[in-house]
Amino acid sequence: QVQLVESGGGSVQAGGSLTLSCAASGYTHSSNCMGWFRQAPGKEREGVALMYTGGGSIYYADSVKGRFTISQDNAKNTVYLKMDSLKPEDTAMYYCATEGGLWPYHPCKPSEDEYTYWGQGTQVNVSS
């Protein structure tokens, strides 16, 4: 059974930092796209940062480039999202997602339909 468990959300002032973690279990972590989406109230869910866990493909939304960094620890089957210089507009529920399965290398797309498994989400609040 595939499980994604997020942690690390919370409240922070603008300019601050948070690091989200997503621990995966129940599938082979090493050859698929995995990463983070977010959904703010009244807005559609958007891809924030995604990576091919076998290496070589990383996607960042334009709104977070230079501020967010996605990384992984394959030994722990965990993906991280380090968020620096946070802005009030980063306030959202952040979801971890993965394609699951074993896939040859391919660019990771920020399309929800590409991702089969989702975590429950962790809330990030950034105050001005």
Side-chain angles (χ1 to χ4, degrees), residues 40-122:
K43 294 188 176 181
E44 293 186 354
R45 190 151 54 181
E46 63 170 344
V48 175
L50 302 157
M51 67 185 307
Y52 180 72
T53 55
S57 174
I58 292 181
Y59 165 87
Y60 291 107
D62 287 343
S63 59
V64 307
K65 282 180 181 176
R67 301 188 298 120
F68 290 12
T69 304
I70 188 171
S71 63
Q72 64 176 336
D73 183 336
N74 280 339
K76 296 182 179 179
N77 285 356
T78 299
V79 169
Y80 304 95
L81 184 66
K82 188 174 188 301
M83 306 184 293
D84 295 318
S85 302
L86 281 161
K87 303 175 181 180
E89 50 264 44
D90 294 319
T91 294
M93 184 72 79
Y94 283 71
Y95 297 92
C96 179
T98 181
E99 293 175 323
L102 293 172
W103 299 96
Y105 171 79
H106 59 283
C108 296
K109 297 179 182 179
S111 171
E112 291 183 61
D113 294 343
E114 301 285 324
Y115 298 83
T116 304
Y117 303 101
W118 293 80
Q120 293 298 308
T122 185

Side-chain angles (χ1 to χ4, degrees), residues 21-57:
S21 301
C22 176
S25 62
Y27 74 103
T28 300
H29 172 78
S30 62
S31 298
N32 42 63
C33 286
M34 183 173 179
W36 299 90
F37 287 74
R38 69 184 180 186
Q39 187 167 23
K43 294 188 176 181
E44 293 186 354
R45 190 151 54 181
E46 63 170 344
V48 175
L50 302 157
M51 67 185 307
Y52 180 72
T53 55
S57 174

